[in-house]
Amino acid sequence: VDWQRKMTCGPAVRDTSLGSAAIELSVLMACFNAQEFLQSAVQSALSQSDIDLEVLIIDDHSTDNSLALAHRMASRDPRIHVLQTPSNLGPGGARNVGIKAMRGEWYCMLDCDDALDPDRSRTLIDQANAVGADMIADDLLVFGEQNHEHRHLGSDPLSPPRLISLDDYFEATQMYGPKPNLGFLKPLIRRKALEKGRHRYREDLRIGEDDELVIQLLLAGRFYWLTSDALSRYRKHEGSISPRLSVDHSARMLAS
């Protein structure tokens, strides 16, 4: 990507062709048996300040009361929409269903056990527009069971704010490597960067599917900016998927 050109061309102009009814942000939540934390995660999305948004909850055939809870929340707030996958597709497949239905200019992925600070979306979108970024991520505040709250990247030598190149990304996403893994970050992505279906999640990956999508976009020359903010909250608990890596998950990630 000719990122130097983008850095000197000035702030991006927000598209106002849809008038005041335009939706700036779509928050997508792939939901499978998430009733314990779902309500607090949805509330953090709805609490985003100074932004027009929609929240799409995509139920992936939960076996608990997640779907009923999602419908109850949607009945109380018109910004919430509930979808369901045709069968259990995993997080990537559920998010693909949401991406097809989303209307926002920006895509935000939110796990059902995580949360967003109220200023997160407005802050990141304004920074992305200022530098012309297609993707923008902040650091994570890690919290949860037996974990003192701390920043995921910590004193990472990448020293944000800065551009993340493809080389940077591969160097800093080694599984169990010496550096904080950039693959855990949750970037906002411009809807236009997803190119009408060209870039989607790999549904055969149940872990690392969001990491692989970022790699797709970097290979396509998309401009990825990392801020110095930490406005996303990443919950660690017994039910978390990411810390548990099976042989099958490892094989699929290696193949991709």
Side-chain angles (χ1 to χ4, degrees), residues 20-26 50-54 122:
S20 59
I23 295 176
E24 194 170 5
L25 180 72
S26 294
D50 192 28
I51 197 162
D52 292 321
L53 58 78
E54 62 180 358
R122 182 75 275 145

Side-chain angles (χ1 to χ4, degrees), residues 102-115:
M102 65 176 273
R103 298 175 294 162
E105 298 172 19
W106 286 89
Y107 162 57
C108 171
M109 185 265 282
L110 177 61
D111 287 334
C112 292
D113 51 359
D114 293 341

Side-chain angles (χ1 to χ4, degrees), residues 78 136 167:
I136 186 167
D167 287 342

Side-chain angles (χ1 to χ4, degrees), residues 59-61 84-90 93-94 97 203 206:
D59 182 75
D60 198 24
H61 286 259
Q84 192 174 46
T85 56
S87 60
N88 181 265
L89 300 177
V97 169
E203 298 184 10
R206 296 290 176 121

Side-chain angles (χ1 to χ4, degrees), residues 60-76:
D60 198 24
H61 286 259
S62 297
T63 58
D64 65 0
N65 292 320
S66 294
L67 182 59
L69 176 59
H71 279 300
R72 285 199 299 272
M73 289 188 290
S75 70
R76 297 192 294 265

Side-chain angles (χ1 to χ4, degrees), residues 29-86:
M29 304 178 65
C31 177
F32 178 73
N33 291 353
Q35 64 179 21
E36 182 177 3
F37 303 115
L38 179 61
Q39 190 161 354
S40 62
V42 170
Q43 187 55 50
S44 79
L46 295 175
S47 298
Q48 295 300 285
S49 59
D50 192 28
I51 197 162
D52 292 321
L53 58 78
E54 62 180 358
V55 177
L56 275 60
I57 304 172
I58 307 98
D59 182 75
D60 198 24
H61 286 259
S62 297
T63 58
D64 65 0
N65 292 320
S66 294
L67 182 59
L69 176 59
H71 279 300
R72 285 199 299 272
M73 289 188 290
S75 70
R76 297 192 294 265
D77 194 312
R79 293 174 294 174
I80 301 173
H81 307 279
V82 181
L83 307 172
Q84 192 174 46
T85 56

Side-chain angles (χ1 to χ4, degrees), residues 100-148:
K100 185 176 181 180
M102 65 176 273
R103 298 175 294 162
E105 298 172 19
W106 286 89
Y107 162 57
C108 171
M109 185 265 282
L110 177 61
D111 287 334
C112 292
D113 51 359
D114 293 341
L116 307 174
D117 281 5
D119 295 331
R120 196 242 185 186
S121 300
R122 182 75 275 145
T123 299
L124 265 60
I125 289 175
D126 285 348
Q127 290 187 47
N129 286 336
V131 299
D134 302 299
M135 300 184 284
I136 186 167
D138 54 339
D139 199 355
L140 304 171
L141 284 174
V142 182
F143 71 106
E145 296 176 358
Q146 300 179 349
N147 284 286
H148 297 294

